[in-house]
Amino acid sequence: MTKTEREINEQPAKFEEVVKEYDSKSYDMLSFLKNRETSEIDFVGCGSSYYLAMGLSFHFNRLSRGKVISKCFSGSEVAFGLRNLPKGAILIGISRSGESSETVLALKRAKEQFGVKTGAITCNSKSELVNVADASVNLDFINEESVVMTQSFTSMAFFGSLIARDIFNRNDLKRYMTSIPDLSKKLLDDAKNLFEKLRPEDYEHFVFLGYDEYFATSMEGVIKVTETSLTPAEAYQTLEYRHGPKSKVDDKTLAVILANDFIVSEEEKMANEIKQLGGSTIFISKANLRSHNNLVIPAGDFSDWFVRVIPLQIIGVRKSLKNGLLPDEPKNLTKVVRL
Ligand code: F1P
C-alpha cells in the first residue's frame, strides 16, 4: 500500500483526533476571533490549501448569515500586491507545512501594508507561518509523508468548519463533531465498494461538478487527480457544464456530481445530459438515483464539503497506479514550494 492510500484510509480516525484535540487546540484562535469586532474574516493558501481556503470562506459566509463577510485568496494574490485588505479584516493563512513562501509573504504583507490581524491553521507548529501569525491552530498530530495532501486537507478543513460553528452556530457543534467521523467512514467504504465495480481507473477524462463549498471540493479533486495520475480533470459549477465544457464528453468521461439539497433536481438533469452524451456519472447526494451510480450521504447542506473529497482522492490514486505512476511522489512536485 502506498503512503497516500494509507493516509486516505486514516482520515476517519484523524477526524476523531480532531474532535479530541479541538478544545485545547482551538482556544487561542477562538479567543483571537471572538475578542474583536471584525466584519471580515478572509482565508489565504496555495495549491490544495488555496482550495481549502476557498471552501472555508464559502462556509464562513454561509454560517455567519451576513454577520461577517469572508473572501479567499491564493498566496500570490496578496503576497505580490494584487489585492488590498481593509484594516479591520482578519486574514487566516492555511498551510500544511506553514512554510509556503507565498502564504507566509501574504500574511507579512497584510500585517505590514494594511495593519491586518492574522491567523494560521497548519500542521506544523514550528513553522514560519506560526511565527508571523497573531494566533494559530497547530494540528501537529497530522504528519503526512506523501507530497500529496489528503488527510491534512480534510483535517484542517474539518477544524476550520468546527471553528465556524463555534462562532456562528454553537448549538450545532457537538452534533457536527460526532457526525463527521461516522459520515466519512461510510463514504470511504461506499466509495471503495463502488469503485471495485465501476473501476474509475478505466476512464481517461474526469469532471467534478458542484457549487460553493462543493466547487472548492471539486477543484481539490482536480488537483488530486492531476498530481497523482497526470490525467485530464476539470471542475465547474454543476450547471455551468452545459455551457461549453460538455462538448468534451465521451465514453471515457467519468463525471462526479457533488449535488446540494437546494438545486438537486437541476443537478440531476445535468447528470442525465452527461449520460445521454455517452459519459458515466457518480451522483453524491441524499438520494439513490436509478439511472446513475450513487454515493449516498445524509447531508447536502454543504456541511460535509471536505468529506466529499475522499472519493475524488481515491479516484486519483487508483488512476495513478493503473498508469504505473507513484502517487507518493507526483511528477515535478515538491512537498513545499519555497521561492
Ligand atoms: C501547499 C502546496 C500543496 C501541494 C504541494 C506544494 O502546501 O501547494 O498543496 O500539494 O505539496 O505545496 P502548504 O502551504 O499547504 O504546505
Side-chain angles (χ1 to χ4, degrees):
M1 181 182 283
T2 63
K3 292 172 191 160
T4 309
E5 286 169 284
R6 175 173 51 76
E7 288 163 351
I8 289 171
N9 292 336
E10 286 173 350
Q11 289 176 111
K14 290 297 179 187
F15 295 163
E16 304 273 9
E17 232 177 313
V18 164
V19 171
K20 202 159 56 68
E21 300 283 343
Y22 178 75
D23 289 344
S24 62
K25 291 195 175 290
S26 62
Y27 183 79
D28 288 350
M29 182 63 82
L30 283 174
S31 355
F32 169 67
L33 290 175
K34 286 182 177 176
N35 287 348
R36 47 183 39 79
E37 278 311 301
T38 180
S39 58
E40 183 167 327
I41 300 176
D42 299 334
F43 295 88
V44 63
C46 296
S48 288
S49 297
Y50 169 49
Y51 296 114
L52 211 177
M54 185 186 287
L56 284 176
S57 181
F58 274 119
H59 217 48
F60 267 67
N61 280 314
R62 185 178 311 281
L63 294 184
S64 81
R65 299 168 185 273
K67 229 176 122 196
V68 300
I69 65 154
S70 179
K71 295 175 193 156
C72 69
F73 306 103
S74 61
S76 53
E77 283 179 284
V78 179
F80 301 115
L82 286 175
R83 303 289 175 259
N84 296 328
L85 293 162
K87 185 156 174 40
I90 289 176
L91 182 65
I92 298 178
I94 309 287
S95 176
R96 166 181 65 178
S97 63
E99 297 294 351
S100 293
S101 302
E102 290 146 289
T103 309
V104 174
L105 277 172
L107 258 63
K108 284 180 176 170
R109 185 164 180 276
K111 288 173 83 109
E112 288 151 20
Q113 193 97 19
F114 307 113
V116 158
K117 291 290 180 194
T118 59
I121 300 179
T122 180
C123 300
N124 178 5
S125 58
K126 294 184 178 32
S127 63
E128 182 57 15
L129 194 72
V130 171
N131 293 338
V132 173
D134 298 304
S136 66
V137 169
N138 304 311
L139 307 186
D140 289 88
F141 56 88
I142 302 288
N143 299 296
E144 254 165 3
E145 293 178 67
S146 177
V147 168
V148 175
M149 285 176 69
T150 51
Q151 61 180 241
S152 59
F153 178 93
T154 51
S155 300
M156 290 193 283
F158 183 23
F159 205 102
S161 301
L162 284 166
I163 286 183
R165 277 163 182 74
D166 209 321
I167 299 174
F168 303 116
N169 187 6
R170 195 153 167 66
N171 299 336
D172 187 40
L173 192 61
K174 284 279 171 269
R175 179 208 63 80
Y176 191 64
M177 280 180 168
T178 44
S179 72
I180 289 295
D182 298 341
L183 216 60
S184 59
K185 181 86 185 71
K186 184 177 180 307
L187 185 59
L188 180 71
D189 294 342
D190 290 353
K192 286 180 173 176
N193 293 334
L194 172 63
F195 294 165
E196 281 311 303
K197 295 190 293 289
L198 178 62
R199 295 181 52 78
E201 58 272 20
D202 294 344
Y203 292 87
E204 298 304 331
H205 170 223
F206 296 100
V207 179
F208 306 135
L209 303 174
Y211 284 90
D212 297 355
E213 294 92 323
Y214 294 154
F215 175 75
T217 305
S218 299
M219 283 305 300
E220 171 56 8
V222 168
I223 288 210
K224 284 311 89 137
V225 169
T226 304
E227 284 177 349
T228 53
S229 75
L230 311 182
T231 308
E234 44 196 314
Y236 301 93
Q237 286 185 352
T238 311
L239 304 185
E240 272 303 293
Y241 195 58
R242 57 167 65 110
H243 297 276
K246 73 174 183 180
S247 51
K248 286 205 305 192
V249 176
D250 63 19
D251 61 352
K252 300 307 277 175
T253 299
L254 176 61
V256 184
I257 297 92
L258 290 76
N260 67 76
D261 291 344
F262 308 99
I263 62 165
V264 58
S265 50
E266 291 306 318
E267 294 185 294
E268 182 181 354
K269 287 176 194 165
M270 186 67 248
N272 295 341
E273 273 186 52
I274 293 167
K275 285 274 308 252
Q276 282 145 22
L277 291 169
S280 298
T281 53
I282 298 173
F283 207 79
I284 304 183
S285 74
K286 287 178 183 161
N288 204 336
L289 304 177
R290 211 165 9 87
S291 49
H292 298 283
N293 298 291
N294 295 275
L295 286 172
V296 180
I297 192 161
D301 60 355
F302 301 98
S303 59
D304 61 337
W305 67 277
F306 52 91
V307 178
R308 293 188 179 199
V309 81
I310 294 174
L312 312 187
Q313 295 167 342
I314 299 170
I315 288 173
V317 171
R318 287 180 72 111
K319 187 63 186 173
S320 173
L321 296 171
K322 171 86 185 296
N323 290 353
L325 299 169
L326 298 172
D328 295 349
E329 294 143 37
K331 185 167 173 262
N332 300 340
L333 281 191
T334 55
K335 203 162 182 184
V336 184
V337 175
R338 287 188 181 84
L339 301 182

